[in-house]
Amino acid sequence: MTTSIHLRLAALLSGGCLLIGTAGAAIAAEPPTFQSIDTDGNGTLSRTEWGKMVEEQMAVAEGRAAKRLAEMPEDRRTEALDRRFRSIDSDSDGSLSQAEWDARRRN
């Protein structure tokens, strides 16, 4: 997998504002807001809430990176999503705070 695809996968997994066009170019889109992902309104993002947002982004993204992630066997995709979630969850409490959500773009 090329570095470019790795970067696109990381952007997709982080909940960034990335859609990938058919030519493989990144296209900016409105990023999801913390509040729109926090469906239970408890002020944190669970792995389930975050994962649903990533799956929704995968459904609309096009290109090699999104296709590669979507074609992964489910257990490998879940493992990749779990790994990315843990990397964003800096205090390892199993949920993402607003601060951790905001910091994901700086990491």
Side-chain angles (χ1 to χ4, degrees), residues 34 42-47 85-101:
F34 184 88
N42 71 350
T44 63
L45 302 181
S46 67
R47 166 61 177 84
F85 184 84
R86 286 190 307 268
S87 76
I88 301 169
D89 182 15
S90 61
D91 63 6
S92 301
D93 69 352
S95 64
L96 303 180
S97 66
Q98 178 77 56
E100 288 168 324
W101 173 254

Side-chain angles (χ1 to χ4, degrees), residues 4-93:
S4 176
I5 292 174
H6 280 293
L7 293 174
R8 291 177 185 156
L9 281 173
L12 190 64
L13 292 175
S14 70
C17 56
L18 180 72
L19 296 179
I20 302 169
T22 54
I27 304 167
E30 279 299 311
T33 64
F34 184 88
Q35 291 74 23
S36 70
I37 302 167
D38 181 18
T39 57
D40 64 8
N42 71 350
T44 63
L45 302 181
S46 67
R47 166 61 177 84
T48 301
E49 290 170 320
W50 178 85
K52 183 177 180 201
M53 176 272 308
V54 171
E55 294 288 337
E56 288 169 356
Q57 285 196 331
M58 281 175 38
V60 298
E62 298 176 353
R64 289 182 296 167
K67 183 178 179 184
R68 188 171 187 110
L69 186 61
E71 290 177 349
M72 277 183 185
E74 187 174 344
D75 60 334
R76 286 190 57 218
R77 184 173 56 242
T78 298
E79 182 181 311
L81 292 173
D82 288 345
R83 209 173 24 253
R84 180 59 182 155
F85 184 84
R86 286 190 307 268
S87 76
I88 301 169
D89 182 15
S90 61
D91 63 6
S92 301
D93 69 352

